[in-house]
Amino acid sequence: MLDDAGFYAPLHYGAQWMWLGILLLVLLAATLAWLFRPARKARPAAKPAGQTPELSVLRARYLAAIDAVTADAASGRLPHREAHQRLSLLLRGFAGEVRGIPATHMTAQELRAHGLGTLAEAVAALYPAQFAAAMPAAVEDSAAFARQAVRTWN
């Protein structure tokens, strides 16, 4: 409507637009909450009873693998540093299969924290041969130490 001075009053928005805006804000908030919700941590699958190999079978398998690494290093097919790394991985894999924990990526300190003292000492003994600039230990000596750790596991 035009008043005396020629001024038009502002038009009012309908109430439905306010409710539509509120609804869109609620939907946006719900979508963001759903997108940024904390993800569930994947639980390791429990091993069914009876499928865990016997300790004697595991020992035999890992002792054979240690012998294979030693033979490869002795023949020159495997560099000495890599042989020590494989021995360390074999020890961790053995403990992982026996205890059912992901030991392949644990440090010696983490292995000790999980109650794997003997294995942790064997892994720690392999550290210098894996990471030192000079080779302080022969592969055969390290393999003997690894065999002893596997044999004395209880």
Side-chain angles (χ1 to χ4, degrees):
M1 257 193 18
L2 188 62
D3 68 355
D4 295 338
F7 177 74
Y8 289 99
L11 296 176
H12 295 283
Y13 290 106
Q16 71 272 13
W17 293 110
M18 179 188 67
W19 290 113
L20 181 64
I22 290 172
L23 178 67
L24 287 175
L25 287 174
V26 168
L27 286 174
L28 177 67
T31 302
L32 289 175
W34 184 78
L35 287 174
F36 294 112
R37 74 188 185 285
R40 292 183 184 173
K41 291 185 178 180
R43 293 182 181 173
K47 292 183 181 179
Q51 284 196 358
T52 303
E54 288 189 25
L55 187 58
S56 60
V57 173
L58 283 176
R59 273 193 182 124
R61 192 172 76 206
Y62 278 91
L63 289 172
I66 290 170
D67 291 340
V69 169
T70 307
D72 286 346
S75 69
R77 290 187 301 253
L78 190 63
H80 290 285
R81 184 175 311 278
E82 190 175 335
H84 284 96
Q85 290 169 349
R86 285 192 187 177
L87 289 173
S88 176
L89 185 64
L90 286 171
L91 285 174
R92 294 163 196 257
F94 175 73
E97 283 195 55
V98 170
R99 286 279 181 96
I101 59 173
T104 56
H105 295 89
M106 290 184 182
T107 63
Q109 184 178 5
E110 291 170 333
L111 291 170
R112 280 187 202 97
H114 281 281
L116 304 171
T118 306
L119 179 85
E121 297 308 318
V123 168
L126 292 173
Y127 277 173
Q130 294 179 65
F131 303 114
M135 286 293 158
V139 174
E140 185 56 48
D141 295 338
S142 297
F145 198 62
R147 282 186 201 101
Q148 184 64 24
V150 170
R151 283 187 188 122
T152 59
W153 183 273
N154 50 355

PDB file of all heavy atoms in Angstrom, residues 13-47:
ATOM      1  N   TYR A  13       7.298 -12.315   4.995  1.00  0.00           N
ATOM      2  CA  TYR A  13       7.398 -13.677   4.475  1.00  0.00           C
ATOM      3  C   TYR A  13       6.365 -14.538   5.171  1.00  0.00           C
ATOM      4  O   TYR A  13       6.014 -14.326   6.324  1.00  0.00           O
ATOM      5  CB  TYR A  13       8.795 -14.267   4.741  1.00  0.00           C
ATOM      6  CG  TYR A  13       9.882 -13.626   3.917  1.00  0.00           C
ATOM      7  CD1 TYR A  13      10.794 -12.750   4.473  1.00  0.00           C
ATOM      8  CD2 TYR A  13       9.997 -13.925   2.571  1.00  0.00           C
ATOM      9  CE1 TYR A  13      11.797 -12.181   3.714  1.00  0.00           C
ATOM     10  CE2 TYR A  13      10.986 -13.353   1.792  1.00  0.00           C
ATOM     11  CZ  TYR A  13      11.888 -12.480   2.370  1.00  0.00           C
ATOM     12  OH  TYR A  13      12.861 -11.918   1.613  1.00  0.00           O
ATOM     13  N   GLY A  14       5.956 -15.577   4.487  1.00  0.00           N
ATOM     14  CA  GLY A  14       5.015 -16.504   5.078  1.00  0.00           C
ATOM     15  C   GLY A  14       5.712 -17.356   6.143  1.00  0.00           C
ATOM     16  O   GLY A  14       6.918 -17.593   6.105  1.00  0.00           O
ATOM     17  N   ALA A  15       4.989 -17.868   7.100  1.00  0.00           N
ATOM     18  CA  ALA A  15       5.531 -18.680   8.200  1.00  0.00           C
ATOM     19  C   ALA A  15       6.122 -19.990   7.681  1.00  0.00           C
ATOM     20  O   ALA A  15       7.043 -20.552   8.275  1.00  0.00           O
ATOM     21  CB  ALA A  15       4.437 -18.950   9.229  1.00  0.00           C
ATOM     22  N   GLN A  16       5.605 -20.479   6.561  1.00  0.00           N
ATOM     23  CA  GLN A  16       6.122 -21.754   6.031  1.00  0.00           C
ATOM     24  C   GLN A  16       7.609 -21.653   5.664  1.00  0.00           C
ATOM     25  O   GLN A  16       8.332 -22.632   5.743  1.00  0.00           O
ATOM     26  CB  GLN A  16       5.285 -22.228   4.829  1.00  0.00           C
ATOM     27  CG  GLN A  16       5.448 -21.447   3.570  1.00  0.00           C
ATOM     28  CD  GLN A  16       4.496 -20.255   3.463  1.00  0.00           C
ATOM     29  OE1 GLN A  16       3.860 -19.851   4.422  1.00  0.00           O
ATOM     30  NE2 GLN A  16       4.411 -19.689   2.266  1.00  0.00           N
ATOM     31  N   TRP A  17       8.099 -20.488   5.266  1.00  0.00           N
ATOM     32  CA  TRP A  17       9.510 -20.346   4.906  1.00  0.00           C
ATOM     33  C   TRP A  17      10.400 -20.440   6.140  1.00  0.00           C
ATOM     34  O   TRP A  17      11.493 -20.976   6.084  1.00  0.00           O
ATOM     35  CB  TRP A  17       9.751 -19.019   4.178  1.00  0.00           C
ATOM     36  CG  TRP A  17       9.073 -18.993   2.850  1.00  0.00           C
ATOM     37  CD1 TRP A  17       8.004 -18.259   2.493  1.00  0.00           C
ATOM     38  CD2 TRP A  17       9.429 -19.785   1.728  1.00  0.00           C
ATOM     39  NE1 TRP A  17       7.650 -18.521   1.200  1.00  0.00           N
ATOM     40  CE2 TRP A  17       8.524 -19.479   0.697  1.00  0.00           C
ATOM     41  CE3 TRP A  17      10.402 -20.742   1.472  1.00  0.00           C
ATOM     42  CZ2 TRP A  17       8.561 -20.073  -0.557  1.00  0.00           C
ATOM     43  CZ3 TRP A  17      10.439 -21.333   0.222  1.00  0.00           C
ATOM     44  CH2 TRP A  17       9.525 -21.001  -0.776  1.00  0.00           C
ATOM     45  N   MET A  18       9.962 -19.926   7.258  1.00  0.00           N
ATOM     46  CA  MET A  18      10.732 -20.043   8.496  1.00  0.00           C
ATOM     47  C   MET A  18      10.833 -21.509   8.900  1.00  0.00           C
ATOM     48  O   MET A  18      11.901 -22.004   9.241  1.00  0.00           O
ATOM     49  CB  MET A  18      10.066 -19.241   9.620  1.00  0.00           C
ATOM     50  CG  MET A  18      10.835 -19.372  10.943  1.00  0.00           C
ATOM     51  SD  MET A  18       9.990 -18.657  12.343  1.00  0.00           S
ATOM     52  CE  MET A  18       8.581 -19.708  12.513  1.00  0.00           C
ATOM     53  N   TRP A  19       9.714 -22.231   8.851  1.00  0.00           N
ATOM     54  CA  TRP A  19       9.734 -23.636   9.249  1.00  0.00           C
ATOM     55  C   TRP A  19      10.569 -24.481   8.270  1.00  0.00           C
ATOM     56  O   TRP A  19      11.247 -25.417   8.675  1.00  0.00           O
ATOM     57  CB  TRP A  19       8.305 -24.179   9.357  1.00  0.00           C
ATOM     58  CG  TRP A  19       7.591 -23.591  10.533  1.00  0.00           C
ATOM     59  CD1 TRP A  19       6.537 -22.745  10.497  1.00  0.00           C
ATOM     60  CD2 TRP A  19       7.924 -23.783  11.896  1.00  0.00           C
ATOM     61  NE1 TRP A  19       6.171 -22.383  11.768  1.00  0.00           N
ATOM     62  CE2 TRP A  19       7.022 -23.017  12.658  1.00  0.00           C
ATOM     63  CE3 TRP A  19       8.888 -24.508  12.567  1.00  0.00           C
ATOM     64  CZ2 TRP A  19       7.053 -22.964  14.031  1.00  0.00           C
ATOM     65  CZ3 TRP A  19       8.921 -24.464  13.949  1.00  0.00           C
ATOM     66  CH2 TRP A  19       8.016 -23.692  14.667  1.00  0.00           C
ATOM     67  N   LEU A  20      10.539 -24.123   7.007  1.00  0.00           N
ATOM     68  CA  LEU A  20      11.368 -24.813   6.032  1.00  0.00           C
ATOM     69  C   LEU A  20      12.852 -24.583   6.325  1.00  0.00           C
ATOM     70  O   LEU A  20      13.662 -25.508   6.253  1.00  0.00           O
ATOM     71  CB  LEU A  20      11.028 -24.361   4.607  1.00  0.00           C
ATOM     72  CG  LEU A  20      11.816 -25.039   3.490  1.00  0.00           C
ATOM     73  CD1 LEU A  20      11.510 -26.528   3.442  1.00  0.00           C
ATOM     74  CD2 LEU A  20      11.511 -24.385   2.157  1.00  0.00           C
ATOM     75  N   GLY A  21      13.232 -23.373   6.673  1.00  0.00           N
ATOM     76  CA  GLY A  21      14.617 -23.072   7.032  1.00  0.00           C
ATOM     77  C   GLY A  21      15.065 -23.833   8.258  1.00  0.00           C
ATOM     78  O   GLY A  21      16.178 -24.379   8.313  1.00  0.00           O
ATOM     79  N   ILE A  22      14.220 -23.905   9.279  1.00  0.00           N
ATOM     80  CA  ILE A  22      14.540 -24.662  10.503  1.00  0.00           C
ATOM     81  C   ILE A  22      14.694 -26.139  10.177  1.00  0.00           C
ATOM     82  O   ILE A  22      15.629 -26.802  10.642  1.00  0.00           O
ATOM     83  CB  ILE A  22      13.462 -24.416  11.582  1.00  0.00           C
ATOM     84  CG1 ILE A  22      13.569 -22.979  12.094  1.00  0.00           C
ATOM     85  CG2 ILE A  22      13.613 -25.397  12.728  1.00  0.00           C
ATOM     86  CD1 ILE A  22      12.432 -22.570  13.016  1.00  0.00           C
ATOM     87  N   LEU A  23      13.800 -26.666   9.358  1.00  0.00           N
ATOM     88  CA  LEU A  23      13.885 -28.070   8.958  1.00  0.00           C
ATOM     89  C   LEU A  23      15.190 -28.356   8.213  1.00  0.00           C
ATOM     90  O   LEU A  23      15.847 -29.375   8.462  1.00  0.00           O
ATOM     91  CB  LEU A  23      12.668 -28.450   8.093  1.00  0.00           C
ATOM     92  CG  LEU A  23      12.663 -29.887   7.560  1.00  0.00           C
ATOM     93  CD1 LEU A  23      12.503 -30.870   8.698  1.00  0.00           C
ATOM     94  CD2 LEU A  23      11.582 -30.055   6.519  1.00  0.00           C
ATOM     95  N   LEU A  24      15.587 -27.474   7.315  1.00  0.00           N
ATOM     96  CA  LEU A  24      16.845 -27.661   6.575  1.00  0.00           C
ATOM     97  C   LEU A  24      18.050 -27.616   7.512  1.00  0.00           C
ATOM     98  O   LEU A  24      19.001 -28.391   7.349  1.00  0.00           O
ATOM     99  CB  LEU A  24      16.975 -26.611   5.474  1.00  0.00           C
ATOM    100  CG  LEU A  24      16.055 -26.801   4.268  1.00  0.00           C
ATOM    101  CD1 LEU A  24      16.192 -25.622   3.313  1.00  0.00           C
ATOM    102  CD2 LEU A  24      16.348 -28.112   3.574  1.00  0.00           C
ATOM    103  N   LEU A  25      18.039 -26.734   8.495  1.00  0.00           N
ATOM    104  CA  LEU A  25      19.134 -26.683   9.462  1.00  0.00           C
ATOM    105  C   LEU A  25      19.206 -27.958  10.299  1.00  0.00           C
ATOM    106  O   LEU A  25      20.294 -28.474  10.571  1.00  0.00           O
ATOM    107  CB  LEU A  25      18.995 -25.454  10.365  1.00  0.00           C
ATOM    108  CG  LEU A  25      19.310 -24.110   9.721  1.00  0.00           C
ATOM    109  CD1 LEU A  25      18.994 -22.972  10.678  1.00  0.00           C
ATOM    110  CD2 LEU A  25      20.768 -24.072   9.299  1.00  0.00           C
ATOM    111  N   VAL A  26      18.055 -28.484  10.695  1.00  0.00           N
ATOM    112  CA  VAL A  26      18.031 -29.735  11.464  1.00  0.00           C
ATOM    113  C   VAL A  26      18.552 -30.885  10.607  1.00  0.00           C
ATOM    114  O   VAL A  26      19.337 -31.723  11.069  1.00  0.00           O
ATOM    115  CB  VAL A  26      16.608 -30.016  11.994  1.00  0.00           C
ATOM    116  CG1 VAL A  26      16.483 -31.433  12.533  1.00  0.00           C
ATOM    117  CG2 VAL A  26      16.229 -28.994  13.060  1.00  0.00           C
ATOM    118  N   LEU A  27      18.134 -30.950   9.351  1.00  0.00           N
ATOM    119  CA  LEU A  27      18.625 -32.002   8.451  1.00  0.00           C
ATOM    120  C   LEU A  27      20.134 -31.886   8.226  1.00  0.00           C
ATOM    121  O   LEU A  27      20.847 -32.898   8.188  1.00  0.00           O
ATOM    122  CB  LEU A  27      17.887 -31.951   7.114  1.00  0.00           C
ATOM    123  CG  LEU A  27      16.451 -32.469   7.123  1.00  0.00           C
ATOM    124  CD1 LEU A  27      15.797 -32.220   5.761  1.00  0.00           C
ATOM    125  CD2 LEU A  27      16.415 -33.934   7.477  1.00  0.00           C
ATOM    126  N   LEU A  28      20.633 -30.671   8.076  1.00  0.00           N
ATOM    127  CA  LEU A  28      22.068 -30.463   7.912  1.00  0.00           C
ATOM    128  C   LEU A  28      22.830 -30.905   9.153  1.00  0.00           C
ATOM    129  O   LEU A  28      23.847 -31.599   9.061  1.00  0.00           O
ATOM    130  CB  LEU A  28      22.361 -28.989   7.600  1.00  0.00           C
ATOM    131  CG  LEU A  28      23.842 -28.627   7.465  1.00  0.00           C
ATOM    132  CD1 LEU A  28      24.432 -29.287   6.229  1.00  0.00           C
ATOM    133  CD2 LEU A  28      24.007 -27.128   7.412  1.00  0.00           C
ATOM    134  N   ALA A  29      22.330 -30.554  10.326  1.00  0.00           N
ATOM    135  CA  ALA A  29      22.981 -30.957  11.572  1.00  0.00           C
ATOM    136  C   ALA A  29      22.968 -32.482  11.728  1.00  0.00           C
ATOM    137  O   ALA A  29      23.965 -33.090  12.133  1.00  0.00           O
ATOM    138  CB  ALA A  29      22.308 -30.289  12.766  1.00  0.00           C
ATOM    139  N   ALA A  30      21.869 -33.128  11.397  1.00  0.00           N
ATOM    140  CA  ALA A  30      21.778 -34.586  11.491  1.00  0.00           C
ATOM    141  C   ALA A  30      22.730 -35.258  10.510  1.00  0.00           C
ATOM    142  O   ALA A  30      23.388 -36.259  10.839  1.00  0.00           O
ATOM    143  CB  ALA A  30      20.344 -35.043  11.237  1.00  0.00           C
ATOM    144  N   THR A  31      22.833 -34.717   9.306  1.00  0.00           N
ATOM    145  CA  THR A  31      23.751 -35.281   8.309  1.00  0.00           C
ATOM    146  C   THR A  31      25.200 -35.155   8.766  1.00  0.00           C
ATOM    147  O   THR A  31      25.979 -36.109   8.667  1.00  0.00           O
ATOM    148  CB  THR A  31      23.560 -34.576   6.948  1.00  0.00           C
ATOM    149  OG1 THR A  31      22.212 -34.723   6.544  1.00  0.00           O
ATOM    150  CG2 THR A  31      24.479 -35.162   5.900  1.00  0.00           C
ATOM    151  N   LEU A  32      25.566 -33.991   9.283  1.00  0.00           N
ATOM    152  CA  LEU A  32      26.943 -33.807   9.775  1.00  0.00           C
ATOM    153  C   LEU A  32      27.226 -34.705  10.971  1.00  0.00           C
ATOM    154  O   LEU A  32      28.322 -35.262  11.092  1.00  0.00           O
ATOM    155  CB  LEU A  32      27.184 -32.343  10.122  1.00  0.00           C
ATOM    156  CG  LEU A  32      27.264 -31.384   8.932  1.00  0.00           C
ATOM    157  CD1 LEU A  32      27.383 -29.946   9.413  1.00  0.00           C
ATOM    158  CD2 LEU A  32      28.428 -31.744   8.030  1.00  0.00           C
ATOM    159  N   ALA A  33      26.266 -34.852  11.857  1.00  0.00           N
ATOM    160  CA  ALA A  33      26.452 -35.739  13.012  1.00  0.00           C
ATOM    161  C   ALA A  33      26.640 -37.179  12.552  1.00  0.00           C
ATOM    162  O   ALA A  33      27.468 -37.918  13.091  1.00  0.00           O
ATOM    163  CB  ALA A  33      25.259 -35.628  13.954  1.00  0.00           C
ATOM    164  N   TRP A  34      25.890 -37.605  11.545  1.00  0.00           N
ATOM    165  CA  TRP A  34      26.025 -38.971  11.038  1.00  0.00           C
ATOM    166  C   TRP A  34      27.372 -39.169  10.345  1.00  0.00           C
ATOM    167  O   TRP A  34      28.002 -40.205  10.483  1.00  0.00           O
ATOM    168  CB  TRP A  34      24.883 -39.272  10.072  1.00  0.00           C
ATOM    169  CG  TRP A  34      24.896 -40.682   9.579  1.00  0.00           C
ATOM    170  CD1 TRP A  34      24.483 -41.791  10.243  1.00  0.00           C
ATOM    171  CD2 TRP A  34      25.384 -41.135   8.313  1.00  0.00           C
ATOM    172  NE1 TRP A  34      24.677 -42.907   9.478  1.00  0.00           N
ATOM    173  CE2 TRP A  34      25.229 -42.528   8.279  1.00  0.00           C
ATOM    174  CE3 TRP A  34      25.924 -40.496   7.213  1.00  0.00           C
ATOM    175  CZ2 TRP A  34      25.605 -43.279   7.188  1.00  0.00           C
ATOM    176  CZ3 TRP A  34      26.292 -41.261   6.128  1.00  0.00           C
ATOM    177  CH2 TRP A  34      26.134 -42.628   6.120  1.00  0.00           C
ATOM    178  N   LEU A  35      27.833 -38.169   9.591  1.00  0.00           N
ATOM    179  CA  LEU A  35      29.104 -38.288   8.875  1.00  0.00           C
ATOM    180  C   LEU A  35      30.301 -38.330   9.816  1.00  0.00           C
ATOM    181  O   LEU A  35      31.287 -39.021   9.556  1.00  0.00           O
ATOM    182  CB  LEU A  35      29.279 -37.130   7.886  1.00  0.00           C
ATOM    183  CG  LEU A  35      28.423 -37.171   6.632  1.00  0.00           C
ATOM    184  CD1 LEU A  35      28.607 -35.897   5.828  1.00  0.00           C
ATOM    185  CD2 LEU A  35      28.781 -38.382   5.790  1.00  0.00           C
ATOM    186  N   PHE A  36      30.236 -37.581  10.897  1.00  0.00           N
ATOM    187  CA  PHE A  36      31.379 -37.490  11.806  1.00  0.00           C
ATOM    188  C   PHE A  36      31.196 -38.318  13.069  1.00  0.00           C
ATOM    189  O   PHE A  36      31.903 -38.100  14.051  1.00  0.00           O
ATOM    190  CB  PHE A  36      31.646 -36.024  12.170  1.00  0.00           C
ATOM    191  CG  PHE A  36      32.105 -35.207  10.998  1.00  0.00           C
ATOM    192  CD1 PHE A  36      31.302 -34.217  10.469  1.00  0.00           C
ATOM    193  CD2 PHE A  36      33.327 -35.453  10.410  1.00  0.00           C
ATOM    194  CE1 PHE A  36      31.718 -33.464   9.381  1.00  0.00           C
ATOM    195  CE2 PHE A  36      33.748 -34.721   9.320  1.00  0.00           C
ATOM    196  CZ  PHE A  36      32.946 -33.719   8.806  1.00  0.00           C
ATOM    197  N   ARG A  37      30.304 -39.268  13.048  1.00  0.00           N
ATOM    198  CA  ARG A  37      30.129 -40.132  14.213  1.00  0.00           C
ATOM    199  C   ARG A  37      31.377 -40.986  14.388  1.00  0.00           C
ATOM    200  O   ARG A  37      32.064 -41.319  13.422  1.00  0.00           O
ATOM    201  CB  ARG A  37      28.895 -41.009  14.042  1.00  0.00           C
ATOM    202  CG  ARG A  37      29.107 -42.141  13.052  1.00  0.00           C
ATOM    203  CD  ARG A  37      27.824 -42.876  12.762  1.00  0.00           C
ATOM    204  NE  ARG A  37      28.031 -44.010  11.920  1.00  0.00           N
ATOM    205  CZ  ARG A  37      28.273 -43.970  10.611  1.00  0.00           C
ATOM    206  NH1 ARG A  37      28.339 -42.820  10.007  1.00  0.00           N
ATOM    207  NH2 ARG A  37      28.453 -45.074   9.914  1.00  0.00           N
ATOM    208  N   PRO A  38      31.707 -41.343  15.615  1.00  0.00           N
ATOM    209  CA  PRO A  38      32.892 -42.187  15.815  1.00  0.00           C
ATOM    210  C   PRO A  38      32.654 -43.581  15.228  1.00  0.00           C
ATOM    211  O   PRO A  38      31.602 -44.177  15.428  1.00  0.00           O
ATOM    212  CB  PRO A  38      33.055 -42.247  17.324  1.00  0.00           C
ATOM    213  CG  PRO A  38      31.821 -41.679  17.905  1.00  0.00           C
ATOM    214  CD  PRO A  38      31.076 -40.950  16.841  1.00  0.00           C
ATOM    215  N   ALA A  39      33.636 -44.040  14.496  1.00  0.00           N
ATOM    216  CA  ALA A  39      33.533 -45.369  13.886  1.00  0.00           C
ATOM    217  C   ALA A  39      33.807 -46.426  14.941  1.00  0.00           C
ATOM    218  O   ALA A  39      34.617 -46.243  15.840  1.00  0.00           O
ATOM    219  CB  ALA A  39      34.519 -45.498  12.733  1.00  0.00           C
ATOM    220  N   ARG A  40      33.158 -47.530  14.819  1.00  0.00           N
ATOM    221  CA  ARG A  40      33.421 -48.643  15.739  1.00  0.00           C
ATOM    222  C   ARG A  40      34.770 -49.248  15.419  1.00  0.00           C
ATOM    223  O   ARG A  40      35.138 -49.377  14.260  1.00  0.00           O
ATOM    224  CB  ARG A  40      32.358 -49.722  15.593  1.00  0.00           C
ATOM    225  CG  ARG A  40      31.012 -49.307  16.070  1.00  0.00           C
ATOM    226  CD  ARG A  40      30.063 -50.474  15.945  1.00  0.00           C
ATOM    227  NE  ARG A  40      28.728 -50.065  16.313  1.00  0.00           N
ATOM    228  CZ  ARG A  40      27.672 -50.835  16.175  1.00  0.00           C
ATOM    229  NH1 ARG A  40      27.804 -52.045  15.673  1.00  0.00           N
ATOM    230  NH2 ARG A  40      26.492 -50.402  16.534  1.00  0.00           N
ATOM    231  N   LYS A  41      35.460 -49.625  16.453  1.00  0.00           N
ATOM    232  CA  LYS A  41      36.744 -50.288  16.251  1.00  0.00           C
ATOM    233  C   LYS A  41      36.479 -51.743  15.881  1.00  0.00           C
ATOM    234  O   LYS A  41      35.647 -52.410  16.485  1.00  0.00           O
ATOM    235  CB  LYS A  41      37.603 -50.229  17.511  1.00  0.00           C
ATOM    236  CG  LYS A  41      38.074 -48.832  17.824  1.00  0.00           C
ATOM    237  CD  LYS A  41      39.007 -48.832  18.986  1.00  0.00           C
ATOM    238  CE  LYS A  41      39.504 -47.430  19.248  1.00  0.00           C
ATOM    239  NZ  LYS A  41      40.423 -47.379  20.365  1.00  0.00           N
ATOM    240  N   ALA A  42      37.211 -52.191  14.881  1.00  0.00           N
ATOM    241  CA  ALA A  42      37.048 -53.583  14.455  1.00  0.00           C
ATOM    242  C   ALA A  42      37.654 -54.496  15.511  1.00  0.00           C
ATOM    243  O   ALA A  42      38.793 -54.324  15.929  1.00  0.00           O
ATOM    244  CB  ALA A  42      37.733 -53.809  13.119  1.00  0.00           C
ATOM    245  N   ARG A  43      36.894 -55.425  15.938  1.00  0.00           N
ATOM    246  CA  ARG A  43      37.378 -56.382  16.929  1.00  0.00           C
ATOM    247  C   ARG A  43      38.032 -57.545  16.192  1.00  0.00           C
ATOM    248  O   ARG A  43      37.502 -58.019  15.193  1.00  0.00           O
ATOM    249  CB  ARG A  43      36.234 -56.908  17.779  1.00  0.00           C
ATOM    250  CG  ARG A  43      35.625 -55.856  18.647  1.00  0.00           C
ATOM    251  CD  ARG A  43      34.534 -56.447  19.494  1.00  0.00           C
ATOM    252  NE  ARG A  43      33.910 -55.426  20.317  1.00  0.00           N
ATOM    253  CZ  ARG A  43      32.857 -55.623  21.058  1.00  0.00           C
ATOM    254  NH1 ARG A  43      32.288 -56.804  21.073  1.00  0.00           N
ATOM    255  NH2 ARG A  43      32.358 -54.639  21.774  1.00  0.00           N
ATOM    256  N   PRO A  44      39.161 -57.997  16.695  1.00  0.00           N
ATOM    257  CA  PRO A  44      39.761 -59.155  16.032  1.00  0.00           C
ATOM    258  C   PRO A  44      38.850 -60.366  16.185  1.00  0.00           C
ATOM    259  O   PRO A  44      38.240 -60.571  17.227  1.00  0.00           O
ATOM    260  CB  PRO A  44      41.081 -59.360  16.774  1.00  0.00           C
ATOM    261  CG  PRO A  44      40.971 -58.577  18.035  1.00  0.00           C
ATOM    262  CD  PRO A  44      39.927 -57.522  17.822  1.00  0.00           C
ATOM    263  N   ALA A  45      38.751 -61.094  15.110  1.00  0.00           N
ATOM    264  CA  ALA A  45      37.893 -62.274  15.126  1.00  0.00           C
ATOM    265  C   ALA A  45      38.463 -63.309  16.083  1.00  0.00           C
ATOM    266  O   ALA A  45      39.647 -63.612  16.064  1.00  0.00           O
ATOM    267  CB  ALA A  45      37.793 -62.865  13.726  1.00  0.00           C
ATOM    268  N   ALA A  46      37.622 -63.802  16.928  1.00  0.00           N
ATOM    269  CA  ALA A  46      38.053 -64.818  17.887  1.00  0.00           C
ATOM    270  C   ALA A  46      38.299 -66.121  17.140  1.00  0.00           C
ATOM    271  O   ALA A  46      37.528 -66.512  16.267  1.00  0.00           O
ATOM    272  CB  ALA A  46      36.989 -65.014  18.959  1.00  0.00           C
ATOM    273  N   LYS A  47      39.388 -66.757  17.488  1.00  0.00           N
ATOM    274  CA  LYS A  47      39.690 -68.037  16.851  1.00  0.00           C
ATOM    275  C   LYS A  47      38.780 -69.109  17.449  1.00  0.00           C
ATOM    276  O   LYS A  47      38.687 -69.236  18.670  1.00  0.00           O
ATOM    277  CB  LYS A  47      41.145 -68.419  17.092  1.00  0.00           C
ATOM    278  CG  LYS A  47      42.129 -67.526  16.392  1.00  0.00           C
ATOM    279  CD  LYS A  47      43.535 -68.010  16.628  1.00  0.00           C
ATOM    280  CE  LYS A  47      44.535 -67.114  15.943  1.00  0.00           C
ATOM    281  NZ  LYS A  47      45.901 -67.545  16.179  1.00  0.00           N
TER     282      LYS A  47
END
